[in-house]
C-alpha cells in the first residue's frame, strides 16, 4: 500500500504553508503548496492542504484536481473521496461526484454530510426518487441537519409527494425558523393542497424578509 506521507517536504519547508493556513491566508497556502508540489508529487497531505485552500477560495477545478491526487495517493482515505465529491458537485460534474461520494461511503459508511452531498449529486441528475432516501439516511444520522431536511422537501415536491414534503419543510422551519425559503416552499405546498389560510400566512413570512 502506498505511504501517503512519502516524499513530503521537511518541516522547515512546510512550516510557511502551515503558518499561512493558520493565518487564514488561503492564497499564501496555494502559492507555497504549488511551489512545493513539483518536488513532492507523492505527498498526499500537501495536496490535501492545497485542495482545502482552493475550495475555500471557490477555485473548484483546482480543488478537484488536488483531491483527485490525494485519492490516487491514499485510496483508503474516505475524506479524500468525500472532498473530491464536493469539488465535483461544485463543478456540476454530478455523475463523477456521485461516484466519488459512493466510494467515500463504502470506505466509511454513516457520514451524514457525505450522504447529504450524495443526495445533491443525485437530485441534480433529476434522480429524485434516489435522492430522497439518501437525504432521509442523512437525517437519521443527524436529525438537526437542516440542509438535508430542506432538500428532502424539494425532492418530495418533485416526486409529487406533497403531504410528505409539507412535513419535511415543517421540520426544517422548526430547525431554522428564520429560513425564508423553507417558509416560502411550505406556503406553495399549502396553497397547492387548498389550505389557503395557512398558505398565505406562510407566504407572508417571505414578504416580511428584512432588507440586508
Amino acid at each position: 500500500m502506498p505511504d501517503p506521507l512519502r516524499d513530503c517536504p521537511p518541516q522547515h519547508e512546510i512550516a510557511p504553508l502551515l503558518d499561512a493556513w493558520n493565518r487564514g491566508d488561503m492564497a499564501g497556502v496555494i502559492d507555497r503548496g504549488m511551489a512545493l508540489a513539483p518536488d513532492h508529487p507523492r505527498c498526499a497531505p500537501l495536496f490535501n492542504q492545497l485542495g482545502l485552500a482552493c475550495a475555500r477560495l471557490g477555485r473548484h477545478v483546482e480543488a478537484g484536481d488536488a483531491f483527485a491526487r490525494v485519492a490516487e495517493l491514499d485510496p483508503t482515505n474516505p475524506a479524500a473521496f468525500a472532498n473530491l465529491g464536493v469539488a465535483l458537485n461544485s463543478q456540476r460534474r454530478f455523475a463523477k461526484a456521485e461516484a466519488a461520494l459512493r466510494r467515500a461511503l463504502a470506505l466509511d459508511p454513516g457520514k451524514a454530510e457525505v450522504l447529504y452531498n450524495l443526495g445533491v449529486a443525485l437530485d441534480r441528475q433529476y434522480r429524485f426518487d434516489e435522492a430522497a432516501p439518501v437525504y432521509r439516511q442523512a437525517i437519521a444520522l443527524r436529525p438537526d441537519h437542516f440542509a438535508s431536511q430542506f432538500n428532502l422537501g424539494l425532492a418530495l415536491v418533485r416526486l409529487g409527494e406533497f403531504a410528505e414534503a409539507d412535513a419535511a419543510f415543517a421540520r426544517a422551519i422548526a430547525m431554522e425558523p428564520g429560513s425564508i425559503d423553507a417558509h416560502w416552499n411550505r406556503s406553495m405546498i399549502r396553497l397547492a393542497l387548498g389550505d389557503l389560510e395557512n398558505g398565505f400566512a406562510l407566504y407572508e413570512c417571505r414578504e416580511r424578509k428584512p432588507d440586508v
Side-chain angles (χ1 to χ4, degrees), residues 2-211:
D3 180 359
L5 295 176
R6 179 182 173 184
D7 192 36
C8 284
Q11 182 61 31
H12 72 275
E13 290 185 7
I14 202 73
L17 183 151
L18 296 176
D19 180 62
W21 176 268
N22 291 332
R23 288 185 284 105
D25 178 10
M26 297 301 110
V29 172
I30 294 168
D31 288 345
R32 185 61 183 159
M34 293 298 291
L36 292 170
D39 292 331
H40 304 279
R42 298 194 60 78
C43 179
L46 173 61
F47 286 95
N48 186 65
Q49 210 71 30
L50 263 174
L52 293 171
C54 288
R56 288 200 180 186
L57 293 182
R59 293 163 62 169
H60 302 301
V61 173
E62 293 165 276
D65 290 344
F67 291 133
R69 185 70 174 147
V70 179
E72 177 187 351
L73 293 168
D74 191 8
T76 62
N77 182 354
F81 291 95
N83 288 334
L84 176 58
V86 172
L88 290 167
N89 266 347
S90 297
Q91 296 175 50
R92 305 186 64 82
R93 299 170 66 188
F94 300 119
K96 289 187 178 296
E98 177 191 351
L101 293 161
R102 289 194 186 280
R103 177 63 177 158
L105 289 166
L107 291 166
D108 187 11
K111 294 291 187 181
E113 198 67 30
V114 180
L115 285 162
Y116 164 73
N117 286 311
L118 176 58
V120 171
L122 291 167
D123 72 30
R124 297 302 188 274
Q125 296 176 77
Y126 306 100
R127 290 157 58 188
F128 308 119
D129 57 330
E130 296 175 65
V134 170
Y135 289 132
R136 286 192 172 105
Q137 289 178 57
I139 294 162
L141 291 166
R142 274 191 54 192
D144 63 342
H145 199 274
F146 171 81
S148 291
Q149 193 68 253
F150 183 87
N151 279 17
L152 173 61
L154 294 177
L156 291 168
V157 167
R158 287 156 181 158
L159 291 169
E161 299 177 14
F162 297 115
E164 289 191 45
D166 180 61
F169 284 121
R171 291 190 294 269
I173 290 167
M175 291 178 201
E176 293 194 13
S179 171
I180 301 300
D181 288 338
H183 280 283
W184 185 84
N185 278 287
R186 193 176 185 215
S187 77
M188 295 296 99
I189 294 169
R190 299 312 305 171
L191 291 171
L193 293 172
D195 181 2
L196 301 184
E197 180 179 357
N198 286 317
F200 282 118
L202 287 161
Y203 184 84
E204 287 172 1
C205 290
R206 186 179 179 111
E207 295 300 299
R208 290 196 297 269
K209 181 177 180 181
D211 293 331

